[in-house]
Amino acid sequence: MTRRFFTDPLGYRLVLASLLIGSVLSVFSTGIQLLTSFNRQKEEATAVFTQIETALAGTLEQALWTFDFDQVNILLDGIASNEDITHVELVSQTGHRWERGAPSEAPVQRVYPLSYSRNGQVTQELGKLRVELTLAAVINNLREQFWVILMTNLIKAYLAAVALLYVVHRMITRHLRTVARHVDNTGDDPALQPLVLDREKRRKPDDLDHIVSAIRQFERRVQNDVAALKSEITERRKSEAQAREALSVRSSFIGTMSHEVRTPLNAILGFLHLIEIDEAVPERQRHYARVATRASQQLLNQLNNVLEMSRLDSNAVSISTRPTDIRRLAQQWQDTTHAAIHFHEKDIEVVLELEPPLREKYELDGARVTQIVTNLTDNAAKFTQSGTILISIRETRDPDTNEPLGGLQISVSDTGPGIDRAQCTQVFERFTQLDTRLERTHGGSGLGLAICLELSHLMGADLTVIQPERDGFTTEFLLVIHSADAPEAQNE
Amino acid sequence: MIKYVFAAILAVTATFAAAQDRVLQVVADDWPPFSGPNLPDGGMSLDVIKAVLERAGYTVETRVVPWARIMDGARNGTVDIVGSLFADAELAKVLTYGDPFYATDIQLLQPVGAGHSYTSVEALRPYSIAVGDGFLYEETFDRADYLDKMVVTTTLQAVQMVAHGRADLTLDSVDVLRHVIEKDDPSLNDLVELVPGTMASQNLHMAVRTDLEGSAQIVADFNATLAEMRADGTLKALLQRHVSDQVNG
Ligand SMILES: Nc1ncnc2c1ncn2[C@@H]1O[C@H](COP(=O)(O)OP(=O)(O)OP(=O)(O)O)[C@@H](O)[C@H]1O
Ligand SMILES: [Mg+2]
């Protein structure tokens, strides 16, 4: 356990901090002790001044008064014989002067004014006795004491630090460890064992008791919450399964329904076509037949979209890529666009732009890419009144280095009414049609772009509305197929 | 018992010494210029006593010793003759005085310009006077307890106290005063002066221990030779080696 509380980083820091504080305080208290000691010793040393005053001054004054210089000399010798006294100087009013010793360093001195009064007459000044005392002995003594005091204080502080560390470990750290271990072990099953610390119960709970009771409460709450969550998860799973079942039921229903509707609709279209081309049918009835054809085709188109959407929803659509000739595909898209323009009886130019360098083949699911592009060109043909539809194809390149990135980007631009920036993401939502007026004139289900987006996600591509790059164009849809690199062998 | 034995031994020794024409021990205390260890030939008294006794045919040895030792020696026989003495009734009980060989005036000393003059001891009442411890000046003065006397140990101290205004007056033999000022601190000459009027004139004697064998003879020889020397002028020449008349007053 000793090892433990020494290797404990908290313990380390505690030791360091308390050593640091202890050291500072030790130095401080050493200073105070030395100062007190110095003052006491100085007081002791200077006590001799008082002795001189009481013992000698009176007789010295008498001797000076009567010019008894033998006596003066004896007295001064007596004063100077004290080993702490380094210098004694007596100067009398009559111009006589005596000296013992020599001025010393760091002296403490006392000057005694000497005077004499006889028969209560006016006191007469006799001279001045100056006694110097060296504190060298005191300072030496302190110098010797210094290390002893400092070491004692330091040892005291360090022992206190270690003791404190032990106490902290006993009273706090090991319990915190127990708490940590308990929380660790509990993991996600708080039902294990309640947290109990190895300590005596006290009448007045302290912070550790608070922590323990807080953890117990927390665990109880977590237990309840987990139980609640578990039951909720089962609930959700159940309803999810139900929802999935309902969805698949709906999808298959829609699928069947679409199929069931498409077959008779094709038959209707076939017969309407026969009427249209029958020269024997009067022109008026043939016109009706043409209108009916268009309506039916729209209906068919909508059905196709619903069907596609439901296939996507039930994950029935898969992507399979193969080396595909992009030029042939592009040609086909141009033709389809022409057909769509013709269908809408508009006069719009279709421009196909293949930006070199382009390889012959790319790894694509041609049918799905065509489905997306056709949807885009259909929209362009549908919403544009006049002008140009531009189909542009190029390889993806790094914008900085212009290095090919191995992908392909296909954009469809037109000169139609354009799409507000705010609505650029909205158009990809299901059943979204921006302008109700247009919708009325153009028909449609609002599913086209939603299908395109899902398909592009399926093939790992991005489909977005961007600000048209070229002048004169108002709308541009950009399909970026990130990875379209065909294996080398099949390329060349 | 032991006392008597001791006295007997002493007597035998003394007799024996006299028979041998022994060396006379002449001592005086430190009292410049009359006697002192650093004075030429031990000072005036020892110089004169030695010259007189040698001329009278004695062998002498002179020494300067403290007063206490002199009194002791006179009692136990180690001292034969004492020099530098004023006449004193107490001393006369144990010593036989010779004729005086010098007379000195006892005079007061005052700070320069103090303007005192001596009339009587009684008139000194208002003044503080520095006096030597145990010194004998003049009988009336010595006995006058009513005076404000400040006791010091040396004449120099007393002179300095007067010079620095700590005592109004001091007194001594003018020869002593002059000598002290001249030898120890000539600058005092500017600060003090003698008070006009002599308090007393004292004679300077030598005295022989009365119980010394042949003491009467010694005194008689001394007196006779001294008279001769006074007459032929050798005494005057001797005295002038030791005293000067230069000090104020
Ligand atoms: N090229 C375009 N120019 C202007 N608006 C367009 C263009 N393409 C699409 N839109 C707008 O986006 C809406 C959604 O298009 P989307 O193809 O999903 O539906 P739709 O064409 O109306 O019907 P559907 O395609 O199902 O027959 C359109 O109704 C139209 O408002
Ligand atoms: Mg559409």
Side-chain angles (χ1 to χ4, degrees), chain A residues 64-69 93-94 96 118-119 124-126, chain B residues 128 148-153 157 160-161 164-166 185:
Chain A
L64 263 189
W65 171 258
T66 59
F67 291 91
D68 190 349
F69 294 158
Q93 211 73 0
T94 52
H96 297 88
R118 195 169 165 274
N119 302 341
Q124 191 176 336
E125 279 196 20
L126 293 180
Chain B
S128 58
D148 180 8
K149 292 179 184 173
M150 292 188 286
V151 179
V152 296
T153 33
Q157 280 177 255
Q160 278 174 316
M161 287 186 76
H164 290 100
R166 291 181 193 169
D185 193 352

Coordinates of all heavy atoms in Angstrom, one line a residue, chain A residues 64-69 93-94 96 118-119 124-126, chain B residues 128 148-153 157 160-161 164-166 185:
Chain A
L64 N 36.8 60.7 38.1 CA 37.0 61.8 37.1 C 37.0 63.1 37.8 O 37.7 64.0 37.5 CB 35.9 61.7 36.0 CG 36.3 61.0 34.7 CD1 35.2 61.3 33.7 CD2 37.6 61.5 34.1
W65 N 36.0 63.2 38.7 CA 35.7 64.5 39.4 C 37.0 64.9 40.1 O 37.4 66.0 40.1 CB 34.5 64.3 40.3 CG 34.3 65.5 41.2 CD1 34.6 65.5 42.5 CD2 33.8 66.7 40.9 NE1 34.3 66.7 43.1 CE2 33.8 67.5 42.1 CE3 33.3 67.3 39.7 CZ2 33.3 68.8 42.1 CZ3 32.8 68.6 39.8 CH2 32.8 69.3 40.9
T66 N 37.6 63.9 40.8 CA 38.8 64.2 41.6 C 40.1 64.0 40.9 O 41.1 64.0 41.5 CB 38.8 63.3 42.9 OG1 38.8 61.9 42.4 CG2 37.6 63.5 43.7
F67 N 40.0 63.8 39.6 CA 41.2 63.6 38.7 C 42.0 62.4 39.2 O 43.2 62.4 39.1 CB 42.1 64.9 38.7 CG 41.4 66.0 38.0 CD1 40.6 66.9 38.7 CD2 41.6 66.2 36.6 CE1 40.0 68.0 38.0 CE2 41.0 67.2 36.0 CZ 40.2 68.1 36.6
D68 N 41.3 61.4 39.7 CA 42.0 60.3 40.2 C 42.2 59.3 39.0 O 41.4 58.4 38.8 CB 41.2 59.6 41.3 CG 42.0 58.5 42.0 OD1 43.1 58.1 41.5 OD2 41.5 58.1 43.1
F69 N 43.2 59.6 38.2 CA 43.4 58.9 37.0 C 43.8 57.5 37.1 O 43.5 56.6 36.3 CB 44.3 59.7 36.0 CG 43.8 61.0 35.6 CD1 44.6 62.0 35.2 CD2 42.4 61.2 35.7 CE1 44.1 63.2 34.8 CE2 41.9 62.5 35.3 CZ 42.7 63.5 34.9
Q93 N 35.8 66.3 30.1 CA 35.5 67.7 29.8 C 36.8 68.5 29.8 O 37.0 69.5 29.2 CB 34.5 68.3 30.8 CG 33.6 69.3 30.3 CD 32.6 68.8 29.3 OE1 32.5 67.6 29.1 NE2 31.8 69.7 28.8
T94 N 37.8 68.0 30.6 CA 39.0 68.7 30.8 C 40.0 68.4 29.8 O 41.2 68.8 29.9 CB 39.6 68.3 32.2 OG1 39.7 66.9 32.3 CG2 38.8 68.8 33.3
H96 N 41.1 65.4 28.8 CA 41.8 64.1 28.9 C 41.1 63.0 28.1 O 39.8 63.1 28.0 CB 41.9 63.7 30.4 CG 42.7 64.7 31.2 ND1 42.2 65.8 31.8 CD2 44.1 64.7 31.4 CE1 43.1 66.5 32.4 NE2 44.3 65.9 32.2
R118 N 27.7 67.8 43.5 CA 28.2 67.7 44.9 C 27.3 68.5 45.8 O 27.0 69.7 45.5 CB 29.6 68.3 44.9 CG 30.4 67.9 46.1 CD 31.8 68.3 46.0 NE 32.4 68.2 47.3 CZ 32.4 69.3 48.1 NH1 31.9 70.4 47.7 NH2 33.0 69.2 49.3
N119 N 27.0 68.0 46.9 CA 26.2 68.7 47.9 C 24.9 69.3 47.3 O 24.5 70.4 47.6 CB 27.0 69.8 48.6 CG 28.2 69.3 49.2 OD1 28.3 68.1 49.5 ND2 29.2 70.2 49.5
Q124 N 27.5 69.0 37.2 CA 28.6 69.4 36.2 C 28.9 68.3 35.3 O 29.1 67.1 35.8 CB 29.8 69.9 37.0 CG 30.8 70.6 36.1 CD 31.9 71.1 36.9 OE1 31.8 71.3 38.1 NE2 33.1 71.3 36.3
E125 N 29.0 68.6 34.0 CA 29.3 67.5 33.1 C 30.8 67.2 33.2 O 31.6 68.1 33.3 CB 29.0 68.0 31.7 CG 27.5 67.8 31.4 CD 27.2 67.9 29.9 OE1 28.2 67.7 29.1 OE2 26.1 68.1 29.5
L126 N 31.1 65.9 33.2 CA 32.5 65.5 33.3 C 33.1 65.0 32.0 O 34.3 65.0 31.8 CB 32.6 64.4 34.4 CG 32.2 64.8 35.8 CD1 32.4 63.6 36.7 CD2 33.2 65.9 36.2
Chain B
S128 N 35.2 75.3 49.2 CA 35.5 73.8 49.1 C 37.0 73.7 48.9 O 37.6 74.5 48.1 CB 34.8 73.2 47.9 OG 35.1 73.9 46.7
D148 N 34.8 72.5 54.3 CA 34.4 71.7 53.2 C 35.6 71.1 52.5 O 36.1 71.6 51.6 CB 33.5 72.5 52.3 CG 33.0 71.7 51.1 OD1 33.1 70.5 51.1 OD2 32.4 72.3 50.2
K149 N 36.0 69.9 53.1 CA 37.2 69.3 52.5 C 36.9 68.2 51.5 O 36.0 67.4 51.8 CB 38.1 68.8 53.6 CG 38.7 69.8 54.6 CD 39.5 69.1 55.7 CE 40.0 70.1 56.7 NZ 40.6 69.5 57.8
M150 N 37.5 68.2 50.4 CA 37.3 67.1 49.5 C 38.6 66.3 49.4 O 39.6 66.9 49.1 CB 37.0 67.7 48.1 CG 35.6 68.4 48.0 SD 35.2 68.8 46.4 CE 36.2 70.2 46.1
V151 N 38.5 65.0 49.8 CA 39.7 64.2 49.9 C 40.1 63.6 48.6 O 39.3 63.0 47.9 CB 39.4 63.1 50.9 CG1 40.6 62.2 51.1 CG2 39.0 63.7 52.3
V152 N 41.3 63.8 48.2 CA 41.9 63.2 47.0 C 43.1 62.5 47.4 O 43.6 62.5 48.6 CB 42.2 64.3 45.9 CG1 40.9 64.9 45.5 CG2 43.2 65.3 46.5
T153 N 43.7 61.7 46.5 CA 44.9 60.9 46.9 C 46.2 61.6 46.6 O 47.2 61.4 47.2 CB 44.9 59.5 46.2 OG1 44.3 59.7 45.0 CG2 44.1 58.6 47.1
Q157 N 46.0 65.8 41.7 CA 44.6 65.8 41.7 C 44.0 67.0 42.2 O 43.1 67.7 41.6 CB 44.0 64.6 42.4 CG 44.0 63.2 41.7 CD 43.5 62.1 42.6 OE1 44.3 61.3 43.2 NE2 42.2 62.1 42.8
Q160 N 44.6 69.9 40.0 CA 43.7 69.9 38.8 C 42.3 70.3 39.1 O 41.6 71.0 38.4 CB 43.7 68.5 38.2 CG 44.9 68.3 37.3 CD 45.1 66.9 36.8 OE1 44.9 65.9 37.6 NE2 45.4 66.7 35.5
M161 N 41.8 69.8 40.3 CA 40.4 70.2 40.7 C 40.3 71.7 40.9 O 39.3 72.3 40.5 CB 40.0 69.5 42.0 CG 39.8 68.0 41.8 SD 39.2 67.2 43.2 CE 37.5 67.7 43.2
H164 N 40.3 73.3 37.3 CA 39.1 73.1 36.6 C 37.8 73.5 37.4 O 36.7 73.2 37.0 CB 38.9 71.7 36.1 CG 40.0 71.4 35.0 ND1 41.2 70.7 35.3 CD2 40.0 71.7 33.7 CE1 41.9 70.6 34.2 NE2 41.2 71.2 33.2
G165 N 38.0 74.3 38.5 CA 36.9 74.8 39.2 C 36.1 73.9 40.0 O 34.9 74.1 40.3
R166 N 36.6 72.7 40.2 CA 35.9 71.7 41.0 C 36.1 71.9 42.5 O 35.3 71.4 43.3 CB 36.2 70.3 40.6 CG 35.7 70.0 39.2 CD 36.0 68.7 38.7 NE 35.8 68.6 37.3 CZ 36.2 67.7 36.5 NH1 36.8 66.6 37.0 NH2 35.9 67.7 35.2
D185 N 52.2 68.9 34.8 CA 51.3 69.5 33.8 C 51.6 71.0 33.8 O 50.9 71.8 34.5 CB 49.9 69.3 34.2 CG 48.9 69.7 33.0 OD1 49.4 70.3 32.1 OD2 47.7 69.4 33.1

